[in-house]
Coordinates of all heavy atoms in Angstrom, one line a residue:
Chain X
R439 N -9.4 30.2 -5.1 CA -10.8 30.4 -4.8 C -11.7 30.0 -6.0 O -12.9 29.9 -5.7 CB -11.0 31.9 -4.5 CG -10.5 32.4 -3.2 CD -11.7 32.4 -2.2 NE -11.4 32.9 -0.9 CZ -11.6 32.2 0.2 NH1 -12.3 31.0 0.1 NH2 -11.3 32.7 1.3
T440 N -11.2 29.9 -7.1 CA -12.0 29.5 -8.3 C -12.4 28.0 -8.2 O -13.2 27.6 -9.0 CB -11.3 29.8 -9.7 OG1 -10.1 29.1 -9.7 CG2 -11.0 31.3 -9.8
L441 N -11.6 27.3 -7.4 CA -11.9 25.8 -7.3 C -13.1 25.6 -6.4 O -13.5 26.4 -5.5 CB -10.7 25.2 -6.7 CG -9.4 25.3 -7.4 CD1 -8.2 24.7 -6.6 CD2 -9.4 24.6 -8.8
P442 N -13.7 24.4 -6.5 CA -14.8 24.0 -5.6 C -14.4 24.1 -4.2 O -13.2 23.8 -3.9 CB -15.2 22.7 -6.1 CG -14.8 22.5 -7.5 CD -13.5 23.4 -7.6
V443 N -15.3 24.4 -3.3 CA -14.9 24.5 -1.9 C -14.2 23.2 -1.3 O -13.3 23.3 -0.6 CB -16.2 24.8 -1.0 CG1 -15.9 24.8 0.5 CG2 -16.7 26.2 -1.3
D444 N -14.8 22.0 -1.7 CA -14.2 20.8 -1.3 C -12.7 20.7 -1.7 O -11.8 20.2 -0.9 CB -15.0 19.6 -1.8 CG -16.3 19.4 -1.1 OD1 -16.5 20.1 -0.1 OD2 -17.1 18.5 -1.5
T445 N -12.5 21.1 -2.9 CA -11.1 21.1 -3.4 C -10.2 22.0 -2.7 O -9.0 21.7 -2.5 CB -11.1 21.3 -5.0 OG1 -12.1 20.5 -5.6 CG2 -9.8 21.1 -5.6
Q446 N -10.7 23.2 -2.4 CA -10.0 24.2 -1.6 C -9.6 23.6 -0.3 O -8.4 23.7 0.1 CB -10.7 25.4 -1.4 CG -11.1 26.3 -2.6 CD -11.9 27.5 -2.3 OE1 -11.6 28.2 -1.3 NE2 -12.8 27.9 -3.1
Q447 N -10.5 22.9 0.3 CA -10.3 22.3 1.7 C -9.2 21.2 1.5 O -8.3 21.0 2.4 CB -11.6 21.8 2.3 CG -11.4 21.5 3.8 CD -10.9 22.7 4.6 OE1 -11.5 23.7 4.6 NE2 -9.9 22.5 5.4
Q448 N -9.4 20.4 0.5 CA -8.4 19.3 0.2 C -7.0 19.9 0.0 O -6.0 19.4 0.5 CB -8.8 18.5 -1.0 CG -10.0 17.6 -0.8 CD -10.6 17.0 -2.1 OE1 -10.0 17.2 -3.1 NE2 -11.6 16.3 -2.0
F449 N -6.9 21.0 -0.7 CA -5.6 21.7 -0.9 C -5.0 22.1 0.4 O -3.8 21.9 0.7 CB -5.9 22.9 -1.8 CG -4.7 23.8 -2.0 CD1 -3.6 23.4 -2.8 CD2 -4.6 25.0 -1.3 CE1 -2.5 24.2 -2.9 CE2 -3.5 25.8 -1.4 CZ -2.5 25.5 -2.2
I450 N -5.9 22.8 1.2 CA -5.4 23.2 2.5 C -4.9 22.0 3.4 O -3.8 22.1 4.0 CB -6.5 24.0 3.3 CG1 -6.8 25.3 2.6 CG2 -6.1 24.2 4.8 CD1 -8.1 26.0 3.1
N451 N -5.7 21.0 3.5 CA -5.3 19.8 4.2 C -4.0 19.2 3.7 O -3.1 18.7 4.5 CB -6.4 18.8 4.2 CG -7.6 19.3 5.0 OD1 -7.5 20.2 5.8 ND2 -8.7 18.7 4.7
S452 N -3.9 19.1 2.4 CA -2.7 18.5 1.8 C -1.4 19.3 2.1 O -0.4 18.8 2.5 CB -2.8 18.4 0.3 OG -3.9 17.6 -0.1
V453 N -1.5 20.7 2.0 CA -0.4 21.5 2.3 C 0.0 21.4 3.7 O 1.2 21.3 4.1 CB -0.7 23.0 1.9 CG1 0.3 23.9 2.4 CG2 -0.9 23.1 0.4
R454 N -1.0 21.3 4.6 CA -0.7 21.2 6.0 C 0.1 19.9 6.3 O 1.0 19.9 7.1 CB -2.0 21.3 6.8 CG -1.7 21.3 8.3 CD -3.0 21.6 9.2 NE -3.9 20.5 9.4 CZ -4.8 20.4 10.3 NH1 -5.1 21.5 11.0 NH2 -5.6 19.4 10.5
S455 N -0.4 18.9 5.7 CA 0.2 17.6 5.9 C 1.7 17.6 5.4 O 2.6 17.1 6.0 CB -0.6 16.4 5.3 OG -1.8 16.3 5.8
I456 N 1.8 18.2 4.2 CA 3.2 18.2 3.6 C 4.1 19.0 4.5 O 5.3 18.5 4.8 CB 3.1 18.8 2.2 CG1 2.4 17.9 1.2 CG2 4.5 19.2 1.7 CD1 2.0 18.6 -0.1
A457 N 3.6 20.1 5.0 CA 4.5 21.0 5.9 C 4.9 20.2 7.2 O 6.0 20.3 7.6 CB 3.8 22.3 6.2
L458 N 3.9 19.6 7.7 CA 4.1 18.9 9.0 C 5.0 17.6 8.8 O 5.8 17.4 9.7 CB 2.8 18.5 9.7 CG 2.1 19.6 10.3 CD1 0.6 19.2 10.7 CD2 2.8 20.1 11.6
E459 N 4.7 16.9 7.8 CA 5.4 15.6 7.7 C 6.8 15.7 7.0 O 7.6 14.8 7.3 CB 4.5 14.7 6.8 CG 3.1 14.3 7.4 CD 3.2 13.7 8.8 OE1 4.2 13.0 9.1 OE2 2.3 14.0 9.6
T460 N 7.0 16.7 6.2 CA 8.3 16.8 5.6 C 9.1 18.0 6.0 O 10.2 18.1 5.5 CB 8.1 16.8 4.1 OG1 7.4 18.0 3.7 CG2 7.3 15.6 3.5
G461 N 8.6 18.8 6.8 CA 9.3 20.0 7.3 C 9.2 21.1 6.3 O 8.9 20.9 5.1
G462 N 9.4 22.3 6.8 CA 9.3 23.5 5.9 C 10.4 24.4 5.9 O 10.4 25.6 5.5
K463 N 11.6 23.9 6.2 CA 12.8 24.7 6.3 C 13.1 25.2 4.9 O 13.1 24.5 3.9 CB 14.0 23.9 6.7 CG 15.1 24.7 7.3 CD 14.7 25.3 8.6 CE 15.9 26.1 9.2 NZ 15.5 26.8 10.4
N464 N 13.3 26.6 4.8 CA 13.4 27.2 3.5 C 14.8 27.7 3.3 O 15.1 28.8 3.8 CB 12.4 28.4 3.4 CG 12.3 28.8 2.0 OD1 13.2 28.6 1.2 ND2 11.2 29.5 1.7
S465 N 15.6 26.9 2.7 CA 17.0 27.4 2.5 C 17.1 28.2 1.2 O 18.1 28.9 1.0 CB 17.9 26.2 2.4 OG 17.5 25.4 1.3
D466 N 16.1 28.2 0.4 CA 16.1 29.0 -0.9 C 16.3 30.4 -0.7 O 16.9 31.1 -1.5 CB 14.8 28.7 -1.6 CG 14.9 29.1 -3.1 OD1 15.9 28.8 -3.7 OD2 14.1 29.8 -3.6
Y467 N 15.8 31.0 0.5 CA 15.9 32.4 0.8 C 17.4 32.8 0.9 O 17.7 34.0 0.7 CB 15.2 32.7 2.1 CG 13.8 32.9 1.9 CD1 12.9 32.8 3.0 CD2 13.2 33.3 0.7 CE1 11.6 32.9 2.9 CE2 11.8 33.4 0.6 CZ 11.0 33.3 1.7 OH 9.7 33.4 1.6
S468 N 18.3 31.9 1.2 CA 19.7 32.3 1.4 C 20.4 32.6 0.1 O 21.5 33.1 0.0 CB 20.4 31.3 2.2 OG 20.5 30.0 1.4
K469 N 19.7 32.2 -1.0 CA 20.3 32.4 -2.4 C 20.4 33.9 -2.6 O 19.6 34.7 -2.3 CB 19.5 31.7 -3.4 CG 19.6 30.2 -3.4 CD 18.8 29.6 -4.5 CE 18.8 28.0 -4.4 NZ 17.9 27.5 -5.3
E470 N 21.5 34.2 -3.3 CA 21.8 35.7 -3.5 C 20.7 36.4 -4.3 O 20.3 37.5 -4.0 CB 23.1 35.8 -4.2 CG 23.8 37.1 -4.2 CD 24.2 37.5 -2.7 OE1 24.2 36.6 -1.8 OE2 24.5 38.6 -2.5
D471 N 20.1 35.7 -5.3 CA 19.1 36.3 -6.1 C 17.9 36.7 -5.4 O 17.2 37.7 -5.7 CB 18.8 35.5 -7.3 CG 18.1 34.2 -6.9 OD1 18.3 33.8 -5.8 OD2 17.4 33.7 -7.8
T472 N 17.5 36.0 -4.3 CA 16.3 36.4 -3.6 C 16.6 37.2 -2.4 O 15.7 37.8 -1.8 CB 15.5 35.1 -3.1 OG1 16.4 34.3 -2.3 CG2 15.0 34.3 -4.3

Side-chain angles (χ1 to χ4, degrees):
Chain X
R439 281 264 182 233
T440 63
L441 301 171
V443 171
D444 285 355
T445 309
Q446 291 180 42
Q447 194 57 54
Q448 286 166 7
F449 171 76
I450 289 168
N451 292 343
S452 298
V453 169
R454 183 168 86 165
S455 295
I456 291 168
L458 281 171
E459 299 302 326
T460 66
K463 202 72 177 173
N464 191 341
S465 59
D466 194 47
Y467 279 157
S468 62
K469 289 180 183 172
E470 199 64 13
D471 64 336
T472 57

